[in-house]
Amino acid sequence: MDAYDKGSNARPVPGEPPAAVPDSLPPEGHETSDGHETADDHGTSDAHGNPESHESPGGYEPPDSHEPPGGHKPSGEAPARIPQQYGDRQRDDRQYDDQPYDQPCDQQYGDTALVGPPLPPPAGIAALSLPYQIAAALALAVVAVAACVHVGMVFLHVAPSNTVTKQHGQAIDEWIYPEFEQNWKLFAPNPLQQNIAVQVRTEVRGADGDLRTTGWYDLSALDGAAIDGNLLPSHTQQNELRRAWDFFVATHDNANRPNGLRGSLSEKYLRRIVVLRLDREQAGGRGAVVQQVQVRSRTTNVPPPKWSQEQVSDKPIVRELPWWPVSEADRAAGTRPAESTETEASAR
């Protein structure tokens, strides 16, 4: 090893003081480990950027022990930058060199704070004010509870007999009948294969005070004519009369006697429907008042297809009910139209 070795075991040159080993940072005015000279607060640079050395008062310049042999330094080299140590951040961008490291990020970089995309405006219930949000939440809760109660009632209605239906059967029937009654005949092993026509005739008191009996009005045929060609028939046109007759048959025996409390209810329901229809058809003419009605059903079997070997009777079966007197409450269920209109109803 010679005098220019950088290690800690370098041999000293005779006549010169031993070089001190730097602890962490080289002193100002000396070279760094990569061979560049650091900037000195008292030194100046010439036109080529080379640092000028200071002469001693006697004109004698002490030799630099760190210069290469010959005493010449490479020209055109700028003083090297000493990297920051001890955990400080090293800055490579010179545009921020004039700012101290202890300033916050927003002071160092100016108004360059990162801003994300704008949040979308609230939608739905969140867009409402607090009172309206509370009202909407309460309304949704009421609807949810009513839906759950309805589904539970329908389930108990169609489920087999159990403890709940035996104890609360009346409440379940009051909720279901007559609007929400379930009919499972479509899924029966032997679906309904009959055409049932509900017909009615009435005894009316005319405007002259005479009593007379009208012919039979085929109400089922009128419903069929209203549905035929209608893409969106109403629930009333399709099912009101048919379900009323099914309700009556299910609550009466073959002698037309009611077999429970629902029997009188089904009779009243069917009577008001036929009074409403007769009033709509202006049975007995303008000004006639319905006194009593009689209902009958005419059931015929649907003929089987030609390829079937099944044999059915084509003779209609008629079930005729007794005369029912019409009360004022029954008449109030129907409203007479203001003007006379021609309909397809025909009394036979």
Side-chain angles (χ1 to χ4, degrees):
M1 300 180 65
D2 53 15
Y4 298 101
D5 292 336
K6 304 294 184 181
S8 60
N9 296 327
R11 291 177 296 180
V13 180
E16 291 185 2
V21 178
D23 293 333
S24 59
L25 292 177
E28 295 184 353
H30 294 273
E31 291 182 348
T32 59
S33 60
D34 56 356
H36 298 284
E37 184 178 351
T38 59
D40 192 356
D41 293 340
H42 301 285
T44 58
S45 301
D46 57 6
H48 298 285
N50 296 325
E52 296 181 358
S53 61
H54 296 277
E55 296 181 356
S56 61
Y60 172 74
E61 181 180 359
D64 192 351
S65 61
H66 297 283
E67 291 183 358
H72 298 285
K73 297 181 181 179
S75 61
E77 292 183 2
R81 183 184 305 277
I82 300 176
Q84 298 292 329
Q85 299 181 3
Y86 302 106
D88 291 337
R89 180 176 54 188
Q90 181 176 356
R91 299 177 298 173
D92 294 333
D93 298 335
R94 296 186 178 182
Q95 56 180 338
Y96 302 115
D97 287 349
D98 55 346
Q99 297 182 2
Y101 286 113
D102 55 353
Q103 291 184 358
C105 180
D106 55 351
Q107 296 181 8
Q108 293 185 22
Y109 300 101
D111 298 335
T112 59
L114 297 179
V115 179
L119 297 177
I125 299 180
L128 302 176
S129 60
L130 182 58
Y132 286 100
Q133 289 182 4
I134 296 175
L138 292 177
L140 290 176
V142 170
V143 171
V145 171
C148 293
V149 171
H150 178 71
V151 172
M153 289 293 188
V154 173
F155 173 78
L156 293 175
H157 174 68
V158 301
S161 179
N162 52 67
T163 305
V164 178
T165 56
K166 291 178 180 178
Q167 185 175 359
H168 304 285
Q170 184 177 356
I172 296 174
D173 292 342
E174 291 177 355
W175 180 276
I176 295 297
Y177 293 106
E179 289 83 3
F180 306 117
E181 184 180 0
Q182 304 296 312
N183 185 3
W184 301 100
K185 290 183 180 180
L186 178 63
F187 305 100
N190 187 18
L192 186 64
Q193 299 178 359
Q194 295 174 330
N195 289 325
I196 301 175
V198 179
Q199 301 171 351
V200 61
R201 65 177 179 176
T202 179
E203 184 182 83
V204 297
R205 184 179 299 276
D208 54 0
D210 294 338
L211 290 175
R212 65 187 184 90
T213 303
T214 65
W216 291 96
Y217 286 87
D218 194 341
L219 302 181
S220 297
L222 292 174
D223 287 345
I227 294 172
D228 189 16
N230 188 355
L231 296 178
L232 299 173
S234 66
H235 178 77
T236 302
Q237 291 174 330
Q238 298 179 82
N239 299 318
E240 182 184 48
L241 181 63
R242 180 180 62 84
R243 298 300 299 128
W245 179 254
D246 290 344
F247 185 26
F248 177 85
V249 172
T251 56
H252 288 72
D253 56 15
N254 294 331
N256 300 322
R257 294 189 300 263
N259 52 18
L261 297 177
R262 295 176 57 202
S264 58
L265 176 63
S266 64
E267 179 180 331
K268 183 184 299 183
Y269 182 55
L270 180 61
R271 185 171 64 248
R272 292 190 176 185
I273 289 177
V274 298
V275 170
L276 173 64
R277 300 290 295 272
L278 290 173
D279 187 74
R280 186 184 305 168
E281 302 297 332
Q282 292 191 1
R286 182 183 294 273
V289 179
V290 177
Q291 300 296 316
Q292 56 183 355
V293 296
Q294 187 180 24
V295 182
R296 75 178 183 183
S297 66
R298 189 173 185 269
T299 305
T300 57
N301 294 320
V302 176
K306 296 180 180 181
W307 48 264
S308 176
Q309 302 296 327
E310 184 180 0
Q311 300 293 328
V312 295
S313 175
D314 57 356
K315 183 180 179 179
I317 300 175
V318 178
R319 180 176 180 176
E320 191 170 298
L321 306 183
W323 284 92
W324 290 338
V326 177
S327 63
E328 292 296 332
D330 296 331
R331 296 190 187 97
T335 55
R336 185 179 299 277
E339 297 180 359
S340 175
T341 57
E342 296 294 334
T343 64
E344 298 183 12
S346 60
R348 297 187 298 273

